[in-house]
Amino acid sequence: MSQFKALLVSAEGEAFVSRVVERDTAELPAGDVLIRVQYSSLNYKDALSASGNRGVTRNYPHTPGIDAAGVVAESAVGEFAVGDEVIVTGYDLGMNTSGGYGQYIRVPASWVIKRPAGLSLRESMLLGTAGLTAALCIDKLEQAGLTPAAGQVLVTGATGGVGSIAVALLTRLGYSVAASTGKAEQGEFLRQLGAQQIVPRSDLQDGADKAMLKERWGGAVDTVGGDILFNVVKSLRYGASVACCGLTAGIGFKASVMPFILRGVNLLGVDSVELPLVVKASMWDKLSVQWKLGNLDSLAEEVTLEQLPKAIEQILAGKLVGRVLVNLG
Ligand code: NDP
């Protein structure tokens, strides 16, 4: 048994309150591998968990954190030895299993990936679930035929975690990127990541009543959902695809079959959570070598557990820019 520091979210009446507390590894769920967490990160889903969203986390008190990178402290399985550096993202981590906002997690071995040689633990969490998801979106688009010759690729919610990494990765892979944002003042940030065109979010909000829009995009990574997503579908070029991964603009949209049957476009769903571990591992390998980003620090802010609640408020308000790395010390 050992004591460790963790962010604990408790239900107090109608409110959900986050505090940094001492916990004990004996309180962690049963599992194959005990990991001393060094870094975690902030994703939108963590903010939902920290603010009492019962679709993400059913029971409180709870320690969120869907991402964790650290060192194996105890292992009941042959694949992992004490001292191995490992990454865990998704599955139930941080949802109903005590997550990466604690200095220790205990999880099934089937959730754990060895750190790829080309990424440090810190770099892996600068990317985190956001980076993994951005990579999965681009991989799926390429599997559907996207190449730089297809034309400009749109990224919505571009200043967010998934969006900013998608802009940087697409640029790294030779695509011309149009970045859509609601934050007019962040044009320079997006240009530094490689965006060649900035598209105001409002440009994508009109047209929900139209069956089709002018062909514009050779492909798209959509992190926001809602009517914006379907407006993007309606403005894809003939045969192009959009990868859909997020819901910050809403979970529903008004749709018709027209773009699909007139332009042969594709709407591709992306999930980073329940994806088989072998696929996650292959994507981490890609992110560590062929798709490695050199500018990760430029898109992240580093916080301690004590500073995390403020960042959680910002991400919930849609005000965060780039990524938040959580250093657990
Ligand atoms: P962030 O909050 O970092 O980014 C979301 C971005 O969406 C914001 O920065 C903002 O960008 C834009 N946005 C915010 N509010 C609105 C709004 N009302 N209407 C339109 N755009 C809005 O979140 P993440 O990058 O962590 O996650 C993005 C989305 O992807 C979330 O919905 C998350 O749940 C989902 N996700 C899904 C995964 C999967 O496996 N499918 C994995 C990871 C995330 P801007 O101001 O630049 O427009």
Side-chain angles (χ1 to χ4, degrees):
M1 287 196 295
S2 39
Q3 300 277 306
F4 67 95
K5 206 160 79 161
L7 190 81
L8 193 70
V9 180
S10 308
E12 295 183 5
E14 296 291 292
F16 288 83
V17 181
S18 298
R19 290 191 190 87
V20 178
V21 300
E22 286 282 314
R23 297 191 63 193
D24 195 296
T25 51
E27 296 164 26
L28 293 174
D32 307 311
V33 191
L34 180 72
I35 299 165
R36 170 63 167 91
V37 181
Q38 293 185 350
Y39 293 100
S40 180
S41 83
L42 176 60
N43 299 279
Y44 191 72
K45 197 193 233 176
D46 298 313
L48 295 178
S49 171
S51 56
N53 185 307
R54 303 273 180 180
V56 177
T57 299
R58 284 188 301 275
N59 299 313
Y60 295 84
H62 170 66
T63 294
I66 64 170
D67 287 343
V71 178
V72 173
E74 285 172 19
S75 172
V77 292
E79 305 107 274
F80 297 104
V82 171
D84 282 351
E85 294 194 336
V86 293
I87 301 170
V88 184
T89 67
Y91 302 117
D92 194 48
L93 187 70
M95 293 180 67
N96 292 294
T97 299
S98 189
Y101 297 164
Q103 289 171 318
Y104 281 92
I105 56 170
R106 193 184 287 112
V107 293
S110 58
W111 296 3
V112 185
I113 288 169
K114 285 204 179 138
R115 174 183 67 77
L119 279 182
S120 65
L121 289 177
R122 186 169 186 281
E123 286 171 324
S124 73
M125 289 293 103
L126 284 167
L127 292 163
T129 286
L132 178 65
T133 305
L136 287 166
C137 287
I138 296 166
D139 187 62
K140 208 150 189 186
L141 289 169
E142 289 193 336
Q143 282 180 38
L146 180 69
T147 67
Q152 203 159 43
V153 179
L154 175 71
V155 177
T156 62
T159 68
V162 179
S164 56
I165 296 180
V167 171
L169 270 179
L170 284 163
T171 302
R172 158 96 172 73
L173 298 176
Y175 291 94
S176 166
V177 180
S180 161
T181 182
K183 303 184 186 87
E185 71 288 359
Q186 293 299 333
E188 190 47 35
F189 168 76
L190 292 168
R191 283 188 201 284
Q192 282 188 357
L193 294 180
Q196 296 192 351
Q197 192 192 341
I198 310 298
V199 180
R201 186 193 294 164
S202 53
D203 280 13
L204 306 178
Q205 283 169 324
D206 298 333
D209 51 333
K210 297 195 174 136
M212 301 291 278
L213 294 167
K214 185 169 164 267
E215 287 183 59
R216 285 179 85 180
W217 315 116
V221 172
D222 176 62
T223 75
V224 306
D227 283 325
I228 290 179
L229 168 61
F230 209 72
N231 280 344
V232 173
V233 170
K234 289 187 284 189
S235 50
L236 290 172
R237 287 191 180 176
Y238 190 91
S241 306
V242 53
C244 148
C245 71
L247 46 67
T248 51
I251 57 171
F253 51 78
K254 185 165 175 283
S256 85
V257 299
M258 299 311 265
F260 303 107
I261 64 175
L262 295 180
R263 288 193 189 142
V265 299
N266 307 299
L267 176 53
L268 310 173
V270 171
D271 165 58
S272 67
V273 180
E274 292 298 331
L275 193 69
L277 193 72
V278 13
V279 186
K280 282 189 192 177
S282 76
M283 207 48 60
W284 280 111
D285 282 343
K286 224 169 195 178
L287 284 164
S288 72
V289 188
Q290 307 103 293
W291 289 15
K292 177 141 189 190
L293 292 172
N295 54 350
L296 283 173
D297 268 301
S298 69
L299 53 81
E301 168 196 0
E302 185 166 331
V303 300
T304 60
L305 281 183
E306 287 77 8
Q307 293 164 330
L308 189 50
K310 187 155 174 261
I312 289 171
E313 277 173 32
Q314 280 180 306
I315 201 170
L316 281 174
K319 288 189 180 149
L320 208 66
V321 173
R323 295 276 296 143
V324 171
L325 177 75
V326 184
N327 186 336
L328 289 113

